[in-house]
């Protein structure tokens, strides 16, 4: 399994509406996007639902660490954890923006009410708590 394919699978959800606990093309949240994209590349991860819309302490970080290893420099296809308040409460998938060729994040973004591929601007960089690699996904140049 290839991390670039994982990022490409997530990119296929750009424009899908944001919906809390969503797990389908009719609506998806940030965790749902990661779960659906991993399934598309043949990897099954456990679904942590149900969960609230607000961060629940370190539960999300602990769940990620169960299935991924923390890394220093994200590559396309790595999972990104962002701070919401004091805790990690939002995830995305590292990518290279197809139009601008800059580091970006694919995520189901509630403020925009849809899945977006957003360049890693100052706001995202400031909120980034860590990057994580799913060991079963090999890293190679993104398509």
């Amino acid at each position: 399994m290839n991390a670039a394919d994982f990022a490409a699978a997530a990119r296929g959800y750009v424009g899908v509406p944001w919906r809390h606990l969503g797990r389908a093309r009719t609506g998806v949240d940030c965790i749902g996007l990661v779960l659906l994209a991993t399934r598309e590349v043949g990897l099954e991860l456990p679904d942590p639902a149900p969960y609230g819309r607000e961060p629940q302490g370190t539960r999300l970080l602990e769940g990620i660490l169960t299935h991924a290893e923390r890394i220093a420099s994200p590559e396309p296809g790595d999972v990104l954890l962002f701070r919401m308040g004091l805790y990690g409460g939002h995830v995305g998938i590292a990518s290279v923006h197809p139009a601008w060729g800059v580091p970006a994040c694919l995520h189901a973004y509630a403020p925009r009410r849809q899945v977006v591929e957003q360049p890693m601007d100052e706001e995202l960089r400031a909120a980034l708590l860590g990057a994580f690699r799913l060991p079963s996904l090999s890293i190679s140049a993104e398509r």
Side-chain angles (χ1 to χ4, degrees):
M1 287 171 269
N2 185 298
D5 292 335
F6 173 49
R11 187 173 287 123
Y13 287 85
V14 169
V16 168
W18 178 89
R19 189 180 83 220
H20 179 62
L21 296 173
R23 301 292 187 269
R25 289 194 178 274
T26 56
V28 67
D29 66 6
C30 64
I31 295 171
L33 177 63
V34 171
L35 293 173
L36 291 171
T38 55
R39 287 181 192 148
E40 287 191 21
V41 296
L43 179 61
E44 286 289 328
L45 294 175
D47 191 336
Y51 47 83
R53 288 186 60 183
E54 296 299 318
Q56 301 169 351
T58 59
R59 181 176 173 216
L60 183 55
L61 174 60
E62 291 162 4
I64 291 171
L65 288 172
T66 301
H67 303 284
E69 55 196 52
R70 187 183 289 266
I71 55 168
S73 298
E75 297 287 335
D78 289 331
V79 176
L80 305 174
L81 176 64
F82 297 95
R83 180 179 56 253
M84 287 180 64
L86 295 175
Y87 303 105
H90 182 64
V91 293
I93 300 163
S95 68
V96 173
H97 197 282
W100 301 310
V102 297
C105 176
L106 288 150
H107 58 139
Y109 194 40
R112 293 200 190 158
R113 309 298 298 166
Q114 66 180 331
V115 176
V116 298
E117 186 163 14
Q118 178 180 355
M120 288 292 292
D121 59 20
E122 286 304 312
E123 181 182 354
L124 281 179
R125 288 183 199 282
L128 183 64
L129 291 175
F132 303 84
R133 184 158 298 150
L134 296 167
S136 51
L137 296 177
S138 63
I139 299 296
S140 66
E142 187 176 18
R143 292 180 202 185

